[in-house]
Amino acid sequence: MAGSSLGTLFKITTWGESHGAGVGVVVDGCPAGVPLTEEDIQIYLNRRKPGQSRFSTPRAEDDAVTILSGVFEGKTTGTPISLIVYNKTQRSKDYSEIASYYRPGHADYTFDMKYGFRDYRGGGRSSGRETIGRVAAGAIAAKALKSLGIEVMAYTKSIGDVEISKENFDENEIFNNMLYMPDKEAAERASKLVDETRENLDSIGGVVECVVKNMVVGAGEPVFDKLDANLAKAIVSIGAVKAFEIGDGFEVSKSLGSQNNDGFEADENGTITKKTNHSGGTLGGMSDGSDIVLRAYFKPTPSIFKEQETVNKDNENIKINIKGRHDPIIAPRAVVVVEAMTAITILDMIMINATSTIDKIKHGLGR
């Protein structure tokens, strides 16, 4: 199976299945000297682990991470970093029934047609538990970016038709509610909406927004490896994401050039900045130094408890009621996944940018 790796210089490879012995990631290309402990990674994994609220699956995993290689005396060594999280509360019998049919909205049918088999126990490689490796690698990338003064912050922007407001935006509120919304009033309304949805045996979608602050200029390549293109691939590779946008995103199609262009200005020290940020922090595929602002659109959880129509492996039309442990909404637990994938991509592009001119290489060599 191809496609489990991402990145050029800072490269990650995730592995494992949701009901196997464990899941994990190998991070290759992390610079030596980055302060790193298991606790640094655990903080991120705790944000995505199940069973933390009534809005997430009751599967109770502690998701404790173990560093197997690449760290010595609290710092990265420059060698591959291997991380593992053991699965401890698999209940594969919950999924035995679905071996005979294809669940709507899942990868069951396409996986079976492509490979001739599928791991029906929670989805195998297509499960949301695959994101553990992404988040663990993202924690390392975020730690490296922090040493460069760059901060990556994600939060839930909307759930269903409930959206945060600019007037009520409070960064400190993100971790004060179960939905990771930086707007207390919106979080309360969204919580009621999710509760109603769950009571109706259904699920609901949402939008996660991510902001990269103190970004350098020039990360990204002008053609196929544009920063926004690589961010789009990284974000859309998250299982439940169905759309991506950066800056004003879809709204630019309704805008005029005079409205959409970001004017430049220079201060008394000669520092150039933009007056607005409709572009979302990129120009021509390269970072322009302003905040990078992107959004990921998540579909509703496909495993719902309402009766659904599907087909079994004998090509018979049937009706099903899915069992198991499932989230009524994906977006809140995916906030840290978006943050992680953004950090991984940003760090990789910054590292590539460090080789873009001979002067930068000379500077890196101290010459």
Side-chain angles (χ1 to χ4, degrees), residues 266-323:
D267 62 20
E268 60 276 8
N269 297 318
T271 302
I272 297 175
T273 58
K274 297 189 313 185
K275 291 186 175 183
T276 54
N277 192 24
H278 299 294
S279 70
T282 67
L283 289 170
M286 296 165 282
S287 57
D288 60 27
S290 52
D291 289 354
I292 292 174
V293 183
L294 61 87
R295 285 168 290 280
Y297 288 70
F298 285 84
K299 69 178 183 179
T301 315
S303 289
I304 58 175
F305 299 108
K306 283 180 178 288
E307 185 177 79
Q308 299 181 82
E309 296 180 349
T310 189
V311 173
N312 63 22
K313 298 186 78 168
D314 294 323
N315 293 333
E316 297 171 326
N317 296 316
I318 61 172
K319 294 183 178 181
I320 62 169
N321 288 95
I322 292 177
K323 300 180 178 64

Side-chain angles (χ1 to χ4, degrees), residues 156-166 168 181-183 185-187 189-190 193 207 209 295 297:
T156 303
K157 180 178 175 64
S158 65
I159 291 175
D161 60 359
V162 178
E163 184 171 334
I164 63 173
S165 70
K166 292 182 180 179
N168 294 339
M181 300 185 87
D183 178 341
E185 189 272 334
R189 288 192 290 122
L193 176 60
V207 179
E209 186 165 76
R295 285 168 290 280
Y297 288 70

Side-chain angles (χ1 to χ4, degrees), residues 184-310:
K184 183 178 181 180
E185 189 272 334
E188 291 173 352
R189 288 192 290 122
S191 295
K192 292 179 181 179
L193 176 60
V194 176
D195 279 336
E196 292 171 1
T197 302
R198 184 181 56 178
E199 290 169 4
N200 291 328
L201 306 181
D202 219 328
S203 61
I204 195 167
V207 179
V208 173
E209 186 165 76
C210 187
V211 180
V212 182
K213 299 180 179 180
N214 306 318
M215 187 62 187
V216 299
V217 179
E221 304 300 315
V223 188
F224 295 117
D225 283 334
K226 288 180 169 65
L227 178 58
D228 34 2
N230 282 3
L231 284 169
K233 178 179 179 179
I235 299 302
V236 177
S237 74
I238 301 169
V241 174
K242 302 304 293 182
F244 167 89
E245 63 179 3
I246 190 164
D248 285 0
F250 303 124
E251 292 301 312
V252 300
S253 64
K254 307 173 186 177
S255 184
L256 299 173
S258 56
Q259 299 169 323
N260 184 66
N261 288 343
D262 297 311
F264 291 99
E265 61 182 353
D267 62 20
E268 60 276 8
N269 297 318
T271 302
I272 297 175
T273 58
K274 297 189 313 185
K275 291 186 175 183
T276 54
N277 192 24
H278 299 294
S279 70
T282 67
L283 289 170
M286 296 165 282
S287 57
D288 60 27
S290 52
D291 289 354
I292 292 174
V293 183
L294 61 87
R295 285 168 290 280
Y297 288 70
F298 285 84
K299 69 178 183 179
T301 315
S303 289
I304 58 175
F305 299 108
K306 283 180 178 288
E307 185 177 79
Q308 299 181 82
E309 296 180 349
T310 189

Side-chain angles (χ1 to χ4, degrees), residues 75-144:
K75 291 187 177 181
T76 58
T77 62
T79 60
I81 302 170
S82 185
L83 308 171
I84 186 170
V85 170
Y86 291 101
N87 294 326
K88 296 181 178 179
T89 68
Q90 307 98 310
R91 282 176 18 192
S92 300
K93 60 182 177 62
D94 285 351
Y95 298 89
S96 57
E97 179 185 328
I98 70 173
S100 63
Y101 60 77
Y102 302 120
R103 293 170 296 172
H106 283 272
D108 298 348
Y109 173 72
T110 49
F111 209 106
D112 212 2
M113 293 300 102
K114 180 177 177 65
Y115 296 106
F117 82 96
R118 65 184 171 96
D119 186 343
Y120 56 82
R121 304 167 303 167
R125 283 294 285 164
S126 300
S127 167
R129 277 192 74 74
E130 181 271 337
T131 62
I132 284 176
R134 298 170 183 244
V135 172
I140 299 172
K143 196 73 185 292

